[in-house]
Amino acid sequence: SSTDTTVKLWDLWPVSSAAGAAVLDEVAPEQTMIMRPSEALVKTFNEYEDSVYSTSWSACTPWVFATVSYNGRVLIHQVPRETKHKILLSES
């Protein structure tokens, strides 16, 4: 949520996941921050007229989330297709 009438979707590196832990196990502690991929802004959603009050991921579809602004406007968004494919291909 935000006070600037936008929602930002970020691609964050999963430090707590098994894949992230495996990578960190192979790297010396002093190099961990150097080897870690950077966080990246995937998309900014700016279809709002008021501050965004809340966001929630779908319980049924991991690529869909909803937002609601203070004026009561509810919007449904999807993770961009390119980002979804990048995530799915990196897990295999």
Side-chain angles (χ1 to χ4, degrees), residues 44-57:
T44 299
F45 299 90
N46 54 10
E47 300 92 2
Y48 306 93
E49 297 169 2
D50 206 344
S51 297
V52 178
Y53 178 74
S54 185
T55 59
S56 182
W57 286 98

Side-chain angles (χ1 to χ4, degrees), residues 7-87:
V7 170
K8 292 180 177 20
L9 180 63
W10 293 87
D11 181 3
L12 303 176
W13 194 58
V15 175
S16 63
S17 74
V23 170
L24 292 177
D25 286 343
E26 297 172 7
V27 177
E30 64 275 5
Q31 295 178 334
T32 302
M33 295 308 291
I34 297 168
M35 299 296 292
R36 222 177 121 167
S38 62
E39 300 168 353
L41 178 63
V42 172
K43 185 172 181 176
T44 299
F45 299 90
N46 54 10
E47 300 92 2
Y48 306 93
E49 297 169 2
D50 206 344
S51 297
V52 178
Y53 178 74
S54 185
T55 59
S56 182
W57 286 98
S58 168
C60 300
T61 307
W63 310 107
V64 175
F65 64 98
T67 59
V68 61
S69 59
Y70 274 101
N71 64 359
R73 184 173 187 193
V74 175
L75 295 174
I76 307 297
H77 300 287
Q78 292 185 336
V79 173
R81 182 173 296 166
E82 311 80 49
T83 303
K84 175 181 174 180
H85 290 166
K86 178 181 153 190
I87 293 167

